[in-house]
Amino acid sequence: MSSAGQKVAVVTGASSGIGAATARRLAAEGFSVVLTARRTERIEELAKEIEARGGTATAVTLDVTDRAAVDAFAREVGQVDVLVNNAGGALGADSVEQGDPADWLAMYQVNVLGVLHMTQALLPVLRAGGDGTVLILSSTAALAAYEGGGGYVAAKHAAHTIAATLRLELVGEPIRVIEIAPGMVKSEGFAVTRFRGDEAKAAAVYQGVSHPLTAEDIADTVAWAVTRPSHVNIDLLVVRPRAQASNYKVHRD
């Protein structure tokens, strides 16, 4: 539970990687964080860790692709000042010709509909608070295509479009809409999940790159963006490691 005057941040996909790092960082910034993810044990452990460090955290098991569950969460959550739409991921690296429609559907459900469900459900409480922020973690894949990334690129383009459209629709209201688009981030599980547990393929993504971004790097940008003065909206923040000039131009030692 938050204390009087404490801002509340809901973080989706908080069980690992960028989501977990963001939850830790926002708690350190003084937010009461609501950790949501499907993996109950993970978020409960993280909530205990945050509390042990003097922060405030609550763990709520939630699948953002389940609209009924999201609506039930929204009815119970109470105050929300910041929504961090982080839940997402990639599946496969097949060409458009060879891509599995089931993978494309799964990516669309979590990366796009998950953002839509959470944003729609929590906009009323964000609006009621008089100073809300919706933050969408997209990807540089949202801004430029690359071979083998068709399904993920399409999904993140859609997330990018949600952010851009929502910002237009809410202008004049006390709600900021922020998009952060990370490039190459070596975070827990992302590449391994994409390559269905193939550790060798996952490691090859980062081979020769001495300093890819970390989950903590992205959490740092999230914390910075949401703690700007209320009149400052960071529309789009693209974050890449120095070794990456584009999705397909990477310096490798």
Side-chain angles (χ1 to χ4, degrees):
M1 297 292 291
S2 62
S3 59
Q6 187 177 26
K7 289 192 173 184
V8 176
V10 173
V11 181
T12 68
S15 58
S16 65
I18 292 171
T22 296
R24 290 187 183 98
R25 179 58 190 274
L26 291 180
E29 292 283 342
F31 285 86
S32 173
V33 291
V34 181
L35 318 172
T36 73
R38 293 175 298 175
R39 292 182 287 183
T40 304
E41 184 176 337
R42 286 266 191 135
I43 55 174
E44 287 181 346
E45 289 176 357
L46 179 56
K48 290 177 182 177
E49 174 195 321
I50 289 170
E51 295 273 354
R53 295 180 177 181
T56 307
T58 305
V60 180
T61 305
L62 182 65
D63 180 351
V64 298
T65 69
D66 183 339
R67 184 54 185 260
V70 169
D71 286 341
F73 168 78
R75 288 192 295 269
E76 298 294 330
V77 68
Q79 174 189 347
V80 178
D81 301 284
V82 174
L83 167 61
V84 179
N85 281 302
N86 166 75
L91 290 172
D94 301 314
S95 66
V96 171
E97 182 178 10
Q98 298 297 324
D100 184 343
D103 287 346
W104 282 57
L105 178 59
M107 286 186 281
Y108 191 86
Q109 287 175 330
V110 67
N111 291 291
V112 185
L113 293 183
V115 170
L116 180 67
H117 293 330
M118 292 297 296
T119 302
Q120 287 182 333
L122 292 181
L123 271 177
V125 69
L126 286 162
R127 182 180 287 117
D131 187 17
T133 299
V134 176
L135 189 146
I136 296 173
L137 274 156
S138 61
S139 167
T140 54
L143 310 175
Y146 60 93
E147 298 94 332
Y152 185 62
V153 166
K156 287 302 188 180
H157 266 75
H160 168 68
T161 299
I162 290 175
T165 306
L166 185 64
R167 193 177 303 113
L168 292 170
E169 293 171 347
L170 294 181
V171 69
E173 296 198 45
I175 302 173
R176 299 183 296 184
V177 181
I178 297 169
E179 178 185 357
I180 295 179
M184 180 183 285
V185 182
K186 190 175 184 180
S187 65
E188 179 188 0
F190 179 85
V192 173
T193 299
R194 181 170 206 166
F195 294 109
R196 308 181 198 285
D198 190 323
E199 298 278 357
K201 283 186 177 180
V205 172
Y206 313 103
Q207 186 175 359
V209 180
S210 58
H211 294 291
L213 295 176
T214 66
E216 289 72 25
D217 291 328
I218 305 307
D220 186 44
T221 66
V222 172
W224 177 79
V226 303
T227 57
R228 295 310 83 208
S230 297
H231 69 285
V232 178
N233 194 102
I234 308 302
D235 284 15
L236 172 62
L237 179 58
V238 178
V239 191
R240 291 188 176 100
R242 186 171 59 187
Q244 184 183 32
S246 73
N247 290 343
Y248 47 84
K249 179 69 172 180
V250 179
H251 174 75
R252 299 180 189 273
D253 295 331

